[in-house]
């Protein structure tokens, strides 16, 4: 755990320096300061890519590597199979990789490059212009579990990263591009089909339709067994067949529901402040986080492997929304804001890291290969 904690400390300090230098640049417009911000962002990106891309362990990482190494066949494009094979895009990506690039370690590296750079660009775009916010977003990236999830669920996080670009197109009202990105993401992980509801979430945070969705979801959660047949039929429609036992054999920890519910409740309390902004992104991201929180609540009554993970498709912007509320909504006088932030982050750390991932503080959750070993696994060197 020492290496991972050292990595977190290094990244947070680097993000803080970026924030500080960017604030100086906005005041002075000094090009030297501007280039220093770009240089630190480059180091930040490289650090995330190397730490995640060279990993050999954590959750299913080893299994992904072994399965990629065992895959056989030739890369092919068959549009008829896109909607019948749940992981058509991911399977063909692995075939392309095994035939033309390298082994399973390159699967981890290339997906890490795409995932981490996509999220870092997202964080930078929507937070660096506000003093201190980028640092909080990076802290939240670790604390709320998004970073850990990015190194655990390769297929889903790749689909979620594609989905981030789909949302950008949606906000620009480029609906064809939104649909194309969603279909592409679907070929990596079919559950992302739930994001087809995003056009209906555009508008004010906690609008009437969001209130109705919240009430319906809460009621449906308490009546989970009655709705189970509909859920199983929907899963079967996207090529995923589950039994009643699979969907009800265990549920989520109430502690995680409480921790996940804190920012949702905060968005309701500060909904007027959020809606006073001109940012359609902020409002949509807030509504998406509410949906994620509702599905976390629903996981109290059904298998979280399916329900909670579906909710993660709406959780990409959680680090940004939480940081925005910390800076713009919480009291700023007499240090109260800082105390609330520290307490809030501590709750998240305890609930998501200590409880969710059950990490032994004496053990390293991540192990890595060297850069040299990675390049030894390139096909051109074999």
């Amino acid at each position: 755990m020492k290496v991972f904690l050292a990595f977190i400390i290094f990244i947070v300090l680097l993000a803080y320096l970026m924030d500080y230098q960017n604030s100086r640049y906005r005041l002075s417009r000094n090009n030297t300061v501007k280039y220093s911000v770009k240089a630190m962002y480059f180091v930040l990106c490289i650090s995330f890519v190397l730490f995640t891309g060279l990993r050999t362990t954590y959750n299913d990482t080893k299994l992904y590597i072994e399965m990629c190494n065992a895959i056989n066949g030739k890369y092919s494009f068959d549009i008829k199979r896109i909607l019948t094979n749940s992981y058509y895009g991911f399977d063909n990506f692995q075939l392309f990789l095994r035939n033309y690039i390298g082994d399973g370690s390159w699967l981890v590296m290339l997906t890490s490059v795409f995932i981490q750079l996509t999220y870092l660009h997202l964080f930078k775009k929507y937070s660096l212009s506000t003093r201190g916010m980028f640092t909080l977003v990076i802290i939240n990236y670790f604390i709320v579990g998004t970073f850990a999830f990015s190194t655990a669920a390769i297929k889903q996080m790749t689909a979620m990263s594609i989905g981030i670009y789909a949302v950008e197109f949606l906000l620009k009202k480029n609906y064809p591009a939104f649909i194309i990105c969603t279909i592409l993401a679907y070929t990596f992980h079919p559950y992302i089909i739930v994001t087809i509801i995003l056009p209906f979430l555009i508008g004010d945070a906690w609008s009437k339709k969001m209130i109705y969705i919240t009430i319906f979801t809460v009621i449906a959660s308490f009546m989970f067994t009655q709705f189970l047949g509909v859920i199983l039929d929907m899963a079967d429609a996207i090529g995923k067949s589950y039994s009643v036992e699979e969907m009800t054999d265990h549920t989520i920890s109430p502690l995680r529901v409480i921790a996940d519910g804190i920012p949702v409740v905060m968005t309701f309390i500060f909904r007027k402040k959020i809606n006073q902004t001109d940012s359609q992104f902020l409002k949509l991201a807030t509504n998406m986080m509410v949906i994620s929180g509702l599905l976390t609540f629903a996981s109290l009554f059904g298998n979280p492997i399916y329900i909670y993970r579906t909710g993660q498709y709406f959780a990409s912007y959680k680090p940004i929304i939480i940081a925005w509320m910390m800076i713009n909504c919480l009291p700023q006088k007499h240090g109260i804001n800082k105390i609330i932030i520290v307490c809030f982050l501590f709750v998240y750390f305890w609930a998501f890291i200590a409880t969710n991932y059950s990490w032994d503080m004496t053990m390293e959750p991540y192990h890595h290969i060297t850069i040299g070993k990675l390049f030894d696994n390139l096909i051109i060197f074999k």
Side-chain angles (χ1 to χ4, degrees), residues 7 35 65 89 101 176 182 185 198 230 243 276 295 324 328 357 372:
F7 172 72
Y35 294 138
I65 293 174
I101 300 178
T182 302
L198 290 184
V230 177
S243 65
Q276 286 173 357
L295 289 173
W324 188 91
N328 294 281
Y357 298 104

Side-chain angles (χ1 to χ4, degrees), residues 209-224 227 290-299 301 307:
K209 60 186 172 184
M210 285 303 301
I211 297 292
Y212 294 146
I213 290 173
T214 300
I215 294 173
F216 173 79
T217 305
V218 171
I219 294 174
S221 298
F222 284 108
M223 301 175 63
F224 182 77
F227 282 93
V290 173
I291 297 294
S292 175
L294 290 172
L295 289 173
T296 301
F297 174 77
S299 300
F301 306 89
I307 303 174

Side-chain angles (χ1 to χ4, degrees), residues 184-351:
L184 177 61
Y186 173 87
T187 67
F188 279 78
H189 202 274
Y191 290 3
I192 200 171
I193 198 68
V194 297
T195 59
I196 60 173
I197 71 170
L198 290 184
F200 303 101
L201 300 183
I202 292 179
D204 285 348
W206 285 103
S207 61
K208 287 185 178 180
K209 60 186 172 184
M210 285 303 301
I211 297 292
Y212 294 146
I213 290 173
T214 300
I215 294 173
F216 173 79
T217 305
V218 171
I219 294 174
S221 298
F222 284 108
M223 301 175 63
F224 182 77
T225 54
Q226 285 88 335
F227 282 93
L228 190 53
V230 177
I231 296 172
L232 294 177
D233 288 341
M234 291 173 62
D236 189 62
I238 60 174
K240 304 294 291 182
S241 298
Y242 302 113
S243 65
V244 174
E245 290 75 18
E246 283 181 292
M247 295 299 293
T248 57
D249 60 353
H250 69 283
T251 58
I252 201 170
S253 165
L255 182 60
R256 192 196 296 188
V257 176
I258 293 172
D260 212 36
I262 291 174
V264 174
V265 173
M266 288 176 65
T267 62
F268 181 77
I269 295 172
F270 300 124
R271 64 190 183 282
K272 290 184 179 180
K273 187 121 183 176
I274 294 171
N275 289 329
Q276 286 173 357
T277 69
D278 296 326
S279 174
Q280 283 300 315
F281 164 79
L282 187 68
K283 297 172 186 177
L284 175 60
T286 299
N287 287 334
M288 289 176 68
M289 192 173 75
V290 173
I291 297 294
S292 175
L294 290 172
L295 289 173
T296 301
F297 174 77
S299 300
L300 279 171
F301 306 89
N303 195 323
I305 293 177
Y306 310 115
I307 303 174
Y308 175 77
R309 289 187 66 164
T310 300
Q312 291 304 296
Y313 280 114
F314 300 93
S316 291
Y317 307 101
K318 187 186 296 184
I320 299 174
I321 300 301
I322 294 173
W324 188 91
M325 289 189 295
M326 287 177 172
I327 289 177
N328 294 281
C329 301
L330 295 180
Q332 300 291 326
K333 295 181 180 180
H334 309 300
I336 296 177
N337 191 27
K338 294 181 180 179
I339 295 173
I340 293 176
I341 290 173
V342 171
C343 293
F344 183 75
L345 292 180
F346 177 76
V347 170
Y348 256 80
F349 181 82
W350 184 36

